[in-house]
Amino acid sequence: MNNFTDRELYKADQKDREEGVFFNWDDIKDICQGDWLVEPCRKKKAGVNGIEDDSRSIRDEVLFIALSGKLVEGHEFVIPAVENGAAAVCVEEERLSNRQRRYLERSEIPTLSVKNTMRAFHCLAHAHRKKCSECTVVAVTGSCGKTTVKNMITEMLERVYPGRVLSSAGNTNNQFGVPRNLLRLVPDQHKFAVIEAGTSEPGEIAILGDMIEPDIAVVTNVGKAHLEHFESIEDVALEKGNLLKKLRGDGVAVIPAECVYLDILLAKAADYRWVTFGLDSKNADVKAGYLGAREQHFEVVLHWQNKDVRKSLIWSMGGEYQARNAAAVAAVGDVLNISSDEIVRGLALFEPSDMRMEHIYRNGIHWVNDAYN
């Protein structure tokens, strides 16, 4: 607490610190490994109450990080961010114009210069994730099915712990989306977070995994995805498996038993406990038997081999691949000590998001809309 020059100001800010994202000025500088171009006035404010990278979403007392992307240059929006209420900005100094620098100095806006704002964004998100140490974080990756499995896990948890589950918004699973989702965590509110992690180039999963530091890591499958950036499916397996290496010390890997290059995933998870799932595989810890259509629904039998428990699941999701997804969710639920009845109840009530195997009945015709991608 000796970082604060005004004790009363610190007490006023303590409520914000306890309720959500809070970083004091020294936190920000140390975590981002930057230098102040414009020093903060600590008598005015002890720090910031949030992190934003979109100038349109700015609220009072947040730090605006100017990210440089392929389509948008965040440094162009530094002044609008301040005009919208940003309490401080994080920039790469060489990207600031003289006009912007003079504006920040004249406005006395704390301005932190870093080598790479994206890296600073990731470091702040990881620091906040570590503050939420009581929250169990489940990370989901795979060549396909990530968003559906993420949503299924969220639905299952929400049924047991209503209002206490944070989930990645949509399929925001990249280096912009993952930190945004982690920064939505609220200590003492969220008991679980389900975070989706995707990749479009080698090394990206490791970057996301460092931020997420999951307690449970799920690989839905390994297939022919993003082969324009990966030379082979083996390279995809190596990339997806990197999430397993980022587990916390007592973390658990959830892995498909019927998977090409399963040996790679098992090697990546060698330092941790692992659980497998699959379709009627003798080697799967959690199995799903797909029994096909039941009028306008479908039936799956889930089998937890360690307990020798079988449960029938009647739900709206057709296809063996969805049954395999159900097995993955059932494996996660078992790791979290959720009862088989609660797992099945959550899956039975699951409805896919728009344009993901969406069933539409019009004029006697059954349409299936799977155009999300």
Side-chain angles (χ1 to χ4, degrees):
M1 295 185 185
N2 56 11
N3 291 332
F4 298 86
T5 56
D6 190 319
R7 301 283 297 183
E8 293 305 314
L9 180 62
Y10 172 74
K11 289 177 182 177
D13 283 336
Q14 195 168 24
K15 184 173 182 290
D16 293 325
R17 184 187 186 103
E18 291 169 353
E19 288 184 349
V21 179
F22 180 92
F23 292 103
N24 67 46
W25 300 123
D26 293 315
D27 288 338
I28 295 168
K29 183 177 184 296
D30 293 344
I31 292 167
C32 297
Q33 297 182 350
D35 295 298
W36 293 111
L37 295 179
V38 180
E39 283 274 354
C41 178
R42 296 167 190 257
K43 289 186 177 182
K44 288 184 179 179
K45 189 70 180 175
V48 300
N49 297 334
I51 312 293
E52 283 289 351
D53 65 295
D54 187 337
S55 62
R56 298 166 299 181
S57 302
I58 293 293
R59 60 189 190 281
D60 288 347
E61 309 305 339
V62 303
L63 170 70
F64 172 69
I65 296 191
L67 301 179
S68 300
K70 293 179 181 179
L71 301 177
V72 178
E73 173 51 75
H75 288 80
E76 295 177 1
F77 300 94
V78 167
I79 292 177
V82 173
E83 290 174 342
N84 288 342
V89 297
C90 177
V91 299
E92 296 170 22
E93 184 177 4
E94 65 274 12
R95 295 180 184 270
L96 279 185
S97 68
N98 290 332
R99 172 177 170 270
Q100 289 172 317
R101 184 157 184 164
R102 287 195 299 270
Y103 174 88
L104 294 168
E105 290 172 347
R106 185 171 63 252
S107 303
E108 298 182 341
I109 297 298
T111 304
L112 187 72
S113 173
V114 296
K115 290 182 179 179
N116 185 297
T117 50
M118 182 66 81
R119 175 62 181 160
F121 192 32
H122 293 177
C123 289
L124 286 165
H126 180 234
H128 183 61
R129 183 265 181 270
K130 290 176 72 175
K131 286 182 181 179
C132 303
S133 58
E134 299 302 311
C135 177
T136 297
V137 178
V138 182
V140 182
T141 192
S143 295
C144 62
K146 294 183 295 295
T147 302
T148 298
V149 169
K150 178 261 297 183
N151 289 342
M152 287 179 180
I153 294 171
T154 301
E155 181 81 17
M156 172 186 68
L157 291 172
E158 188 65 33
R159 295 286 168 182
V160 183
Y161 301 96
R164 304 202 64 192
V165 184
L166 179 137
S167 183
S168 290
N171 61 344
T172 50
N173 59 22
N174 60 15
Q175 294 189 54
F176 292 87
V178 168
R180 289 170 185 161
N181 286 310
L182 290 174
L183 286 164
R184 290 168 49 221
L185 277 169
V186 178
D188 300 327
Q189 175 185 335
H190 292 122
K191 184 176 177 63
F192 296 96
V194 189
I195 305 295
E196 183 178 335
T199 182
S200 58
E201 59 187 16
E204 191 165 7
I205 288 291
I207 292 170
L208 301 181
D210 281 334
M211 258 188 290
I212 300 168
E213 200 177 335
D215 298 285
I216 300 173
V218 183
V219 177
T220 61
N221 50 50
V222 173
K224 298 177 181 179
H226 299 296
L227 290 183
E228 68 273 24
H229 299 292
F230 296 92
E231 293 184 2
S232 65
I233 297 178
E234 180 179 5
D235 289 337
V236 174
L238 288 166
E239 175 72 5
K240 299 297 183 184
N242 282 336
L243 185 65
L244 308 178
K245 290 186 70 68
K246 302 301 181 178
L247 282 159
R248 301 183 89 178
D250 57 351
V252 181
V254 178
I255 302 171
E258 303 139 339
C259 175
V260 291
Y261 299 108
L262 175 61
D263 57 324
I264 289 176
L265 299 184
L266 292 176
K268 296 278 189 178
D271 294 334
Y272 306 95
R273 181 162 76 92
W274 45 267
V275 177
T276 59
F277 64 90
L279 287 172
D280 291 327
S281 170
K282 291 182 180 180
N283 298 322
D285 297 305
V286 181
K287 300 190 295 184
Y290 181 61
L291 302 184
R294 295 290 183 269
E295 296 182 352
Q296 292 186 5
H297 290 81
F298 304 89
E299 185 174 4
V300 175
V301 174
L302 293 171
H303 180 201
W304 290 264
Q305 292 208 99
N306 62 328
K307 300 175 181 177
D308 196 22
V309 171
R310 287 178 172 82
K311 293 287 181 180
S312 174
L313 165 64
I314 306 295
W315 66 342
S316 63
M317 309 294 285
E320 286 192 338
Y321 68 100
Q322 295 290 12
R324 185 183 294 109
N325 288 341
V329 176
V332 171
D334 193 50
V335 170
L336 293 172
N337 295 316
I338 296 174
S339 73
S340 55
D341 287 335
E342 292 285 3
I343 292 169
V344 169
R345 189 175 296 114
L347 288 169
L349 294 170
F350 176 76
E351 292 292 339
S353 51
D354 291 346
M355 296 192 295
R356 290 178 183 270
M357 292 304 293
E358 182 181 8
H359 294 260
I360 304 169
Y361 298 89
R362 296 282 167 81
N363 300 323
I365 299 174
H366 180 187
W367 301 86
V368 179
N369 182 357
D370 198 39
Y372 70 95
N373 206 23

